Amino acid sequence: MEKKIKRIGVLTSGGDAPGMNAVIRAVARTAFRNGVEVKGILRGYAGLLNEEFIDLTTDSVKNIVERGGTVLYTARCLEFMTEAGQKRGAEICRKHGIDGIVVAGGDGSFKGALALSRQGINTIGVPCTIDLDIACTDYTIGFDTAVNTAMEAIDKIRDTSESHERCSIIEVMGRSAGYIALWCGIASGAEEILVPENYDGDEQAIVNRITEQRLKGKTHFIIVNAEGVGHSASMARRIEAATGIETRATIVGYMQRGGSPTARDRVEASVMGQMASQLLINGESNKLVVWKNGKYGSVGIEEALKEHKDLPDDLLIIPGTMKR
Ligand code: ADP
Ligand code: F6P
């Protein structure tokens, strides 16, 4: 007979993402409804190894759905990447009567979850990253908030770029993926979007397009550059030298990781958090909750980590992103 789940843990790991608090709340409330206790594990796997646990209660998870960041803190932990660390993590769970853990994080955190499940502790992952770079799911919590933050930053930069008749290069996050750049670039009507998946390094082509448009009377230009392409400051110097148009670079940076989550992120986090908690309570393990092809579901972590995803062709509509 299946072992009855009495106590679960929840942790947030890797880069934080707006909506993680809504995940924590949904995991806890679903567990409470099922008569299951919840330990909040502070500072990701580092906190697990340091036995930094707090008891979550209905009260302690109230008024957090609207807050950015993570009330459980997040961390990166090298020790957990070793088998000895993973074994110790599982022993600590057994010592504290933790039957399973919901892990909110990205690819790296799910490798940790997979390792923990191999040590006999049930784990379910919830995809949380502003980068949208987890292949098995079409949505990751935090992306919508980050894109809207980046879009608002670009709108503001456009005002001054237009007044000064300048070219502006705006660098947005995404690690080695171009999703944030692509979305906020399209949403803000950028002239160029440079994404690591497609950018061929042909700066001369960008210079030619800008020069051509200047001759037709266009006064200002917005180039959205993904951090995976990078080098925005030196790119700005080269474009200014080649076009004669004053060019400035702005790195939007960590602003994209914070802030109150958008409605989409709160809803996705509430649904996925609830599903993750329920899966764990049902005795499932080693799975990720996903949004795929218009449906919520779950997939095995091992298979999920092997998947690879490309930017959707339909979105590659702006110079710099187009497949040449
Ligand atoms: P993200 O989850 O956002 O991708 P990281 O890649 O930094 O972030 O991973 C977060 C944490 O997950 C790491 O600090 C480490 O504790 C754990 N982790 C990452 N990779 C592995 C791995 N291969 N095996 C076990 N744990 C891992
Ligand atoms: O994965 C989220 C992210 O913000 C990436 O876009 C960025 O490359 C990275 O994390 C920055 O990580 P750190 O917080 O370690 O500087």
Side-chain angles (χ1 to χ4, degrees):
M1 205 181 89
E2 276 285 331
K3 181 181 163 218
K4 166 115 178 67
I5 304 290
K6 290 199 195 110
R7 182 179 296 151
I8 63 169
V10 56
L11 62 81
T12 50
S13 165
D16 64 352
M20 274 182 162
N21 283 326
V23 173
I24 297 165
R25 173 180 175 273
V27 168
R29 297 227 158 142
T30 306
F32 301 152
R33 275 199 298 276
N34 285 274
V36 171
E37 290 173 26
V38 186
K39 291 277 180 196
I41 302 168
L42 304 181
R43 301 179 182 85
Y45 296 117
L48 173 62
L49 296 185
N50 291 329
E51 303 182 47
E52 294 181 79
F53 302 136
I54 54 169
D55 291 319
L56 295 185
T57 61
T58 310
D59 250 18
S60 68
V61 295
K62 79 177 180 203
N63 298 341
I64 62 169
V65 73
E66 75 281 19
R67 284 170 59 190
T70 159
V71 294
L72 293 178
Y73 307 101
T74 184
R76 296 194 163 103
C77 173
L78 285 181
E79 190 189 343
F80 204 73
M81 293 170 90
T82 66
E83 207 182 331
Q86 294 151 12
K87 272 206 169 97
R88 203 159 76 72
E91 277 157 22
I92 291 170
C93 287
R94 282 188 274 273
K95 177 174 143 194
H96 289 268
I98 296 173
D99 301 313
I101 296 183
V102 173
V103 172
D107 273 342
S109 304
F110 300 145
K111 287 181 194 153
L114 174 62
L116 199 55
S117 74
R118 285 184 175 145
Q119 298 296 336
I121 300 300
N122 288 358
T123 53
I124 302 287
V126 178
C128 293
T129 167
I130 63 167
D131 302 334
L132 196 65
D133 61 349
I134 300 177
C136 61
T137 181
D138 295 336
Y139 194 73
T140 62
I141 292 154
F143 175 72
D144 190 55
T145 308
V147 165
N148 277 287
T149 300
M151 181 190 74
E152 282 165 23
I154 297 168
D155 287 348
K156 290 184 171 132
I157 292 167
R158 186 196 288 102
D159 288 346
T160 167
S161 191
E162 190 171 2
S163 308
H164 288 263
E165 300 176 70
R166 281 176 176 158
C167 172
S168 288
I169 302 180
I170 299 130
E171 188 172 310
V172 298
M173 277 187 165
R175 210 183 287 264
S176 51
Y179 293 95
I180 298 178
L182 192 55
W183 274 73
C184 68
I186 294 174
S188 56
E191 275 67 42
E192 304 274 340
I193 305 174
L194 312 181
V195 290
E197 292 87 343
N198 271 5
Y199 181 52
D200 55 8
D202 187 357
E203 244 170 60
Q204 189 54 49
I206 300 174
V207 165
N208 293 346
R209 285 194 289 267
I210 292 176
T211 311
E212 218 172 89
Q213 290 180 66
R214 182 43 78 87
L215 286 173
K216 286 185 189 156
K218 180 147 181 57
T219 54
H220 64 283
F221 302 89
I222 298 288
I223 301 175
V224 174
N225 188 26
E227 98 174 292
V229 173
H231 306 289
S232 298
S234 58
M235 196 185 279
R237 285 193 293 275
R238 289 190 297 274
I239 288 180
E240 179 166 308
T243 61
I245 298 168
E246 268 191 326
T247 304
R248 298 282 191 270
T250 304
I251 297 179
V252 183
Y254 290 97
M255 204 188 282
Q256 293 159 99
R257 284 245 295 264
S260 180
T262 58
R264 172 147 202 207
D265 279 324
R266 295 181 199 192
V267 172
E268 300 284 3
S270 301
V271 175
M272 289 189 180
Q274 190 232 321
M275 285 178 70
S277 193
Q278 196 62 61
L279 285 168
L280 213 49
I281 292 163
N282 293 350
E284 304 247 14
S285 180
N286 206 0
K287 290 198 165 147
L288 296 185
V289 174
V290 297
W291 167 255
K292 192 81 180 171
N293 301 325
K295 282 198 190 111
Y296 292 103
S298 61
V299 294
I301 296 185
E302 214 163 346
E303 307 85 81
L305 289 175
K306 285 187 200 139
E307 282 186 44
H308 167 82
K309 77 172 167 187
D310 285 320
L311 295 175
D313 277 347
D314 291 345
L315 294 189
L316 305 180
I317 54 173
I318 287 187
T321 66
M322 285 174 179
K323 285 195 172 140
R324 282 185 261 258

